[in-house]
Structure formats: C-alpha cells, structure tokens
Amino acid sequence: MYVADSRGGAGTEVRDASRPGPRATAVAPTVLVLGTVSLITDVSSEMVTAVLPLYLVAGLGLSPLGFGLLDGVYNGFSALVRLVGGHLADRGGGRHKAVAAVGYGVSAVCKPALLLVHSLPLIGAVLAVDRTGKGLRTAPRDALISLSSAPETRGRAFGVHRAMDTAGALLGPLVAFLILRQAAEGYDAVFTVSSCVAALGVLVLLLFVPGGRGGAPAPATAPAPASADPPAAPSLRASLALLRRRDVRRLAVCATLLGLSTVSDSFVYLLLQHRLGVPDRWFALLPLGTAAAFLLLALPLGRLADRMGRWRMFLAGHVALLAAYGLLLAHGPAYAVLLLHGAFYAATDGVLMAAASTAVPDELRGAGLALVQTGQATARFAASLAFGAAWTAWGDRTALTTAALALTVCAVCAVYLRPAQSK
C-alpha cells in the first residue's frame, strides 16, 4: 500500500509481506516532478553549455589551457560546496527541498550575468557562482529521489529522472542552435532566453515538489534489533565519518580515480570539431548526439543495473567511454563517438547514485551522496585542467592518448577496489 506523508511528501511505500503491492515497482511522484524541474533547468543550462566552448575559444580567443581552466571551474567548482549542501539538507528532519531551491535559484541568477562579463576573470567568477548553485542542489535532489524510492527500484528511479533531465539537455542545444541562426547578437540572445527558462524551473520546484524528505519507503527487511547502533545525528562530523564505512569509502575512491581520467564534455566536442572538421555553425548541435543516446539508454540501463549489479554497470560505462576515446583517435564517425559518450553517462550518472544510496543511512543520505559526488567532481576539475595543459603543450592527439591510457589504468584499479556490495 502507499501511505501519504503527513509533511506533504510523496508518500511512503509500505510493502505487505504476504503479497507484493502493485505500487512496488512504480516511480514515486516526487521523482517525476523532480525530473520535470531538471528537464526545464537543463534546457537553460545546456543552451549555455552548447555555445560556451565556441564563444570562449573562437569568440574571445582563449587558448586550450585557458579554456581548460574555465571548464574546470564550470564542472568542478561545485565539488567545494556539495558536501555543505548535503549536510544542510539532512539537518532539521530533512531540508532537501529548501536547499535544492536555493541552489537552483543561484544558478538562475547567474545566467543573465553572462551578458555583462567579457573577460576571463569575470566569466570565471560567474561560472564559479553558477557551479556553487549546482553543488548546493545536486545532493539534496538525489537524496529526495532515493528516499522516495524503494531500494530495489532505485536504479530505475534514477534512470527515469536522468532520462527526463537529458530530455532538457537534448532540447537546450537545439534551442541555442535556432537562436544563433536567427538572432543578430546570437550569444546574448542565448543567455537571455536561458535566464527566463531557468526562472521557470525554480518556480516549478517551489510549487510542485513536496517538502521534507519526499517520503522514504519502509525497508523490505525486518526492523533493526534494539541492540543496533542508534541512527547518526546529521552533523558534519557524522557525514565525514561515513568514509569509515568500507562500501562508501571504496565507492568514493573509485569514482574519484575514474574521474581523474574523464575528459570533459566540452573538450570532447572541441576534439570532434578539431579532428573531424565540424563547421562552427553545427558545433552547438554536437551535444544533441550525447543527449539523445543518454535519453534513450538511461531508463533501460538503470533497470538493467538493478538486476545485474550497479557497480558492474558503472564500470561498463567507463569501457564505453574508453571506446569513444579510441574512435576519436582513429578519426571514427562522429555519430559513433557521441553514441558511446551518451552510453557512458547513461551507465554511470544515476547508477552511481543508486549504488551509493544503498551504502548510506537515510538520515545522512544527502551528505553521503555528496561525499561520493565531491570526490568525482574534484577529480574531473583536475582532469580538465590537466587535459587543457596537455593539449596546449603536446597537441590534441597526445593529450587524448594519455587520457585513454590513464582511464585504462584507473578502470583496472577500480575493479580491484570495488565495494563488497556491488549492487
């Protein structure tokens, strides 16, 4: 049966031991509403992401090293505040919606600021604030998804959310492409429309996402005995102490290792343009290939991960990324590179959070997910800086070959460091 949450949450799923309920496999309403918020927000974010590399490199004349610095800020600065966002969300009985709303609001305010800045330091500052908003919202949002879903269906729940999120990522570059073709001041028009769409996403979050934890399903197993350790109070010390748990520690270490060898999306698209000669006017459409593959594969791979093991699926996603690097080096077809790139995200993004949700307790869910995300985001920040420097010093082919070799080594290490509970 499905019991409504008295705090206005999505409800708590209580499974009768005598018969499986039909709702056991349903996706919670909270997941669908959060998916809608993410869809709208990603339309806004990906409009900017789609044109930002070309705007900075071709428009402002930044070197690959300079772009690597900004791209590292754009993708990795959120690592500094993710743990704070998760910790704040866990306090006071669960402030997940409130903290997520602040994060979405901060990012929305930064979009129009891009209209006013045209130098490397100022653009970097705006991107840093934008990523601060992303860092604040990511862990509370993922905590709401996991807490409103039954443990055995979390892979599916994250798959549904990531599919809806990616639908926005698919629409964003398309909207940017159409604006660039029609508007005289194309980049300014993209940033303006992006601002309006971001504000709509915040409004939907405030009006339709339930407050509190969103309703946590009762565990399928029997209640813990009286002798069990009491739940940890949400504190920063308790959050960091989660690293003492073997599975949490190994998940965080492996995600960090693999993040160190992950070339950022923007560099993948710049490599496609540079190595395959994609015209500037088509550049904004390159993210569509990744987003389309992600959209089509997120739900089926999430469901498959629930059955075959989430850790195995996470590693398989990095194998797909390694194959994409190989095709780039071999001047393979762009559609195949983008398909493998999207498959990588479908097999790793939500799947990693589903795996981490099993390893951390409900009362520290936001902080626990943030621990894993922080290591991964910090590593990708370092990888973006390193790749930009390597491209500037050695050229794109040597830089990409080095990244492929590093990914191979890190994947082998991750196989040996896998968590005991690979589900």
Side-chain angles (χ1 to χ4, degrees):
M1 61 182 174
Y2 202 72
V3 180
D5 189 340
S6 61
R7 293 171 301 184
T12 299
E13 183 183 12
V14 181
R15 296 192 298 164
D16 190 339
S18 62
R19 58 184 177 85
R23 304 279 289 190
T25 59
V27 175
T30 299
V31 176
L32 298 177
V33 179
L34 284 170
T36 302
V37 173
S38 293
L39 187 157
I40 296 170
T41 303
D42 249 37
V43 171
S44 170
S45 298
E46 293 303 321
M47 287 175 64
V48 175
T49 301
V51 302
L52 196 61
L54 198 61
Y55 173 64
L56 295 174
V57 174
L60 299 184
L62 290 182
S63 68
L65 177 58
F67 177 74
L69 176 62
L70 277 182
D71 189 65
V73 169
Y74 192 72
N75 290 295
F77 195 84
S78 61
L80 300 177
V81 293
R82 288 192 188 206
L83 188 58
V84 175
H87 169 65
L88 291 176
D90 289 333
R91 292 179 63 85
R95 301 173 181 170
H96 301 91
K97 176 182 175 179
V99 176
V102 172
Y104 279 108
V106 168
S107 294
V109 170
C110 288
K111 299 300 188 298
L114 288 172
L115 293 165
L116 307 175
V117 296
H118 301 284
S119 65
L120 178 61
L122 291 177
I123 293 174
V126 171
L127 295 180
V129 176
D130 178 77
R131 294 300 91 182
T132 298
K134 181 176 177 61
L136 283 174
R137 72 179 184 250
T138 300
R141 181 204 64 200
D142 286 348
L144 280 170
I145 294 170
S146 66
L147 288 167
S148 63
S149 307
E152 67 274 13
T153 64
R154 282 178 185 148
R156 176 186 302 179
F158 277 101
V160 168
H161 174 268
R162 294 317 196 248
M164 297 179 72
D165 180 274
T166 308
L170 189 66
L171 292 172
L174 181 59
V175 174
F177 171 75
L178 295 175
I179 291 174
L180 287 175
R181 285 180 63 88
Q182 298 297 326
E185 299 293 334
Y187 293 118
D188 287 351
V190 168
F191 297 151
T192 300
V193 175
S194 174
S195 306
C196 298
V197 177
L200 176 61
V202 176
L203 184 62
V204 172
L205 173 73
L206 293 174
L207 292 179
F208 299 107
V209 174
R213 295 176 182 267
T221 56
S227 59
D229 293 336
S235 67
L236 192 57
R237 177 177 297 180
S239 301
L240 295 174
L242 287 172
L243 290 175
R244 297 175 186 170
R245 299 185 177 217
R246 185 170 181 265
D247 281 351
V248 176
R249 183 173 63 253
R250 290 199 170 194
L251 274 171
V253 169
C254 291
T256 301
L257 269 178
L258 292 166
L260 284 171
S261 52
T262 302
V263 177
S264 76
D265 298 358
S266 297
F267 272 126
V268 169
Y269 304 140
L270 285 172
L271 284 165
L272 276 170
Q273 185 196 37
H274 189 255
R275 300 186 66 79
L276 302 181
V278 177
D280 287 356
R281 65 180 181 276
W282 299 109
F283 183 86
L285 290 181
L286 290 178
L288 290 177
T290 295
F294 193 174
L295 175 63
L296 293 174
L297 296 174
L299 179 55
L301 291 186
R303 296 179 65 179
L304 183 60
D306 285 334
R307 294 196 295 269
M308 68 173 278
R310 292 158 189 162
W311 182 247
R312 294 188 186 95
M313 181 61 68
F314 183 69
L315 285 177
H318 285 84
V319 173
L321 182 62
L322 184 60
Y325 292 172
L327 283 178
L328 273 172
L329 288 169
H331 295 274
Y335 69 85
V337 174
L338 295 174
L339 175 63
L340 288 168
H341 196 227
F344 157 69
Y345 278 112
T348 58
D349 191 8
V351 170
L352 177 62
M353 292 297 95
S357 297
T358 305
V360 298
D362 287 1
E363 64 275 5
L364 294 174
R365 184 63 52 81
L369 297 185
L371 275 175
V372 178
Q373 293 168 345
T374 296
Q376 186 182 56
T378 303
R380 289 182 175 179
F381 173 81
S384 186
L385 294 180
F387 190 85
W391 187 344
T392 301
W394 305 327
D396 61 336
R397 182 176 182 82
T398 302
L400 185 58
T401 300
T402 303
L405 291 174
L407 179 57
T408 302
V409 172
C410 291
V412 171
C413 293
V415 170
Y416 287 99
L417 291 175
R418 67 185 181 277
Q421 296 180 354
S422 58
K423 287 289 285 181

